[in-house]
Amino acid sequence: MNLIVQKFGGTSVENPETLKIVAQKIIDCKSKGNEVVVVVSAMGSSTDELINLANELSDTPSPREMDMLLSAGERITMSLLAMHLNNLGYESFSLTGSQAGITTTSRHGMAEIENISGERVKEGINEGKIVIVAGFQGVNKETKEITTLGRGGSDATAVALAAALGAEKCEIYTDVEGVFTADPRIVTKAKLIEEITYDEMLEMASSGARVLMARSVEFGRRYNVPIIVKPTFSEGSGTIVKDKVMEQAIVSGVTHNDKEIKFTLFGVPDQPGIAGKVFGPLSENGVIVDMIVQNVSKESKTDISFTAPLEQKSEVENILEKLSTELEAEGADSDPNIARVSLIGAGMKAESGIASKMFSILGENKINIAMISTSPIRISCVVNKDDMQKAIDSLHKEFIEA
Ligand code: ADP
Ligand code: ASP
Ligand code: MG
């Protein structure tokens, strides 16, 4: 018998009406002779609402209490869905991440899955029941505390669970038809991608295509779990993320990320070891530093700029304030008015001139590039936030529509 893990995101489980549609997808899958394990997100934007509630009562809520609070969102969905399935005559029960045996590192708000024993999930499967697992959460073995996996973390729960249970595939149901060549809400001419490699999907997810959490793609690649991104509200076949694809485009997608801030440390002494002194404390504190630029040194002093996620703004500012004093730098500041646009494509490895063409297109559109970074299959440019839409449109037109 085939085992399929199905994950339903926030908009899919937004209210009782959409939960009924979700239940029907689960029943259809089960009726075809499959065993089904379901992973759910919190309803609609309830995770954001819980964060806002916390911020109304505290400027610096304790990370432990934040995880206790946020993990409740997924628990509401899982129990409601189980009740509804039971009501329809399908035996079903729900489990928290901890009850499902999902153990994680201890870092609250950004924990990583270390192991999934899945005992109670397997028991449920053996009894022919539909097991519903709360996404986005686990427990740390040493501290015994509940943890959450970071925004979008239910995707990681689903793919990791599929790997741990030896599922045939992991289906990620969402509010769009699948993975597109650009965010379909931003680019009207974005096209559905039928199949994409783990490597490209990982770059797309890491550079802003939030349809899948990057870590879920990493699990898929590591344990060879096919991931299918599908629509909840239609019958489309979606996008399959796998090892190899039939036709490799030069550029598969254009992504954007406007949820990062650019930080600059001014007038740092230009000496060996200085970069280590700056980025060491940032990484020790779990700051996800992305693009880095070090300016040409003037009078033995240099400016170092980098980008980091918006949600880590206050942590980074505190660290930079301390570093600025310790290193006798001339100060630090931050610029939230930036956005990153990226081209992703495994075919770029064998094709020269893509980067220069990208820079020319941005130049022709009078868009200034503040930072550049590349990987073998990605080119990213940081631009002014006001230029983001024009940048995405012009790059999509030249590289995808042309
Ligand atoms: P869920 O709640 O189902 O997890 P998310 O909001 O996390 O859904 O992800 C789905 C959203 O991702 C879509 O509504 C879409 O706007 C956005 N998105 C960004 N880039 C892409 C892309 N390249 N392809 C598809 N969706 C994308
Ligand atoms: N509810 C969490 C979030 O909004 C996790 C998820 O939906 O994947 O980020
Ligand atoms: Mg998501």
Side-chain angles (χ1 to χ4, degrees):
M1 193 161 295
N2 290 332
L3 171 65
I4 297 177
V5 173
Q6 296 188 317
K7 178 254 169 181
F8 295 90
T11 41
S12 308
V13 296
E14 193 162 16
N15 56 48
E17 291 317 308
T18 61
L19 274 174
K20 288 179 188 165
I21 297 171
V22 163
Q24 201 50 53
K25 289 265 177 204
I26 298 167
I27 293 167
D28 288 349
C29 184
K30 180 109 178 129
S31 311
K32 285 186 189 137
N34 301 300
E35 292 299 351
V36 194
V37 170
V38 179
V39 173
V40 287
S41 286
M43 294 170 84
S45 52
S46 61
T47 305
D48 291 327
E49 285 152 24
L50 292 172
I51 293 173
N52 293 341
L53 269 179
N55 290 338
E56 273 188 41
L57 294 167
S58 168
D59 289 338
T60 49
S62 118
R64 176 195 185 270
E65 298 307 331
M66 265 325 256
D67 276 356
M68 293 300 275
L69 177 70
L70 298 190
S71 58
E74 272 65 13
R75 293 179 67 149
I76 294 174
T77 321
M78 70 179 195
S79 41
L80 288 174
L81 185 56
M83 283 174 204
H84 178 56
L85 284 165
N86 287 332
N87 198 35
L88 294 175
Y90 290 85
E91 277 196 279
S92 171
F93 66 95
S94 62
L95 294 172
T96 63
S98 152
Q99 289 174 320
I102 301 177
T103 52
T104 72
T105 55
S106 61
R107 192 185 286 278
H108 285 294
M110 245 195 300
E112 286 179 36
I113 296 175
E114 284 184 332
N115 189 49
I116 301 187
S117 66
E119 271 164 44
R120 295 183 66 183
V121 183
K122 289 175 205 159
E123 274 169 30
I125 299 171
N126 290 338
E127 290 163 5
K129 295 179 181 163
I130 300 169
V131 187
I132 317 223
V133 179
F136 173 61
Q137 56 182 271
V139 64
N140 179 260
K141 257 188 172 161
E142 281 78 42
T143 63
K144 305 203 168 29
E145 298 289 8
I146 300 297
T147 52
T148 63
L149 309 178
R151 298 309 302 268
S154 300
D155 296 336
T157 305
V159 183
L161 196 55
L165 298 172
E168 179 202 326
K169 59 187 169 183
C170 181
E171 295 178 339
I172 304 281
Y173 285 89
T174 188
D175 57 355
V176 286
E177 289 290 312
V179 181
F180 283 75
T181 51
D183 186 339
R185 299 188 195 284
I186 300 275
V187 179
T188 44
K189 290 199 174 149
K191 291 188 262 187
L192 182 70
I193 302 172
E194 280 176 20
E195 43 178 30
I196 187 167
T197 60
Y198 293 117
D199 288 347
E200 285 176 299
M201 192 61 231
L202 192 55
E203 290 282 8
M204 285 195 58
S206 320
S207 61
R210 73 168 194 281
V211 63
L212 279 179
M213 190 207 208
R215 260 192 281 144
S216 72
V217 187
E218 261 167 15
F219 278 120
R221 180 169 70 178
R222 194 172 332 142
Y223 298 104
N224 215 7
V225 181
I227 304 172
I228 298 118
V229 181
K230 293 176 107 172
T232 301
F233 304 114
S234 71
E235 294 307 313
S237 52
T239 302
I240 171 155
V241 188
K242 55 185 192 172
D243 227 6
K244 289 194 184 74
V245 298
M246 292 286 279
E247 265 183 78
Q248 188 61 71
I250 295 172
V251 174
S252 301
V254 179
T255 59
H256 70 280
N257 184 351
D258 58 357
K259 307 239 166 358
E260 287 186 327
I261 298 201
K262 180 177 150 195
F263 295 92
T264 304
L265 199 55
F266 295 104
V268 190
D270 197 6
Q271 296 157 357
I274 209 77
K277 284 191 183 142
V278 173
F279 293 106
L282 288 164
S283 87
E284 280 156 25
N285 284 281
V287 175
I288 307 161
V289 170
D290 191 26
M291 294 169 119
I292 302 174
V293 172
Q294 181 172 336
N295 287 356
V296 181
S297 159
K298 262 192 240 152
E299 293 158 12
S300 305
K301 294 207 166 206
T302 184
D303 299 341
I304 298 179
S305 298
F306 62 90
T307 59
L310 204 55
E311 63 209 37
Q312 296 189 310
K313 180 172 186 273
S314 52
E315 276 157 87
V316 178
E317 280 174 347
N318 290 340
I319 296 168
L320 288 188
E321 207 180 290
K322 274 195 214 136
L323 278 175
S324 183
T325 319
E326 268 168 44
L327 304 175
E328 294 179 2
E330 287 162 10
D333 81 358
S334 59
D335 178 4
N337 196 28
I338 59 146
R340 174 154 64 119
V341 288
S342 310
L343 292 184
I344 318 294
M348 292 197 303
K349 270 196 265 192
E351 188 86 11
S352 64
I354 302 294
S356 60
K357 189 170 167 195
M358 176 180 188
F359 305 150
S360 306
I361 292 166
L362 294 176
E364 282 158 21
N365 284 280
K366 311 239 171 330
I367 297 168
N368 191 44
I369 303 171
M371 296 166 117
I372 297 169
S373 88
T374 61
S375 85
I377 62 167
R378 174 185 52 79
I379 311 162
S380 298
C381 294
V382 168
V383 300
N384 193 299
K385 212 175 243 175
D386 303 333
D387 289 331
M388 183 183 85
Q389 182 76 49
K390 202 187 335 166
I392 305 169
D393 285 340
S394 52
L395 293 173
H396 194 269
K397 190 163 175 236
E398 286 291 333
F399 287 103
I400 309 270
E401 292 161 44

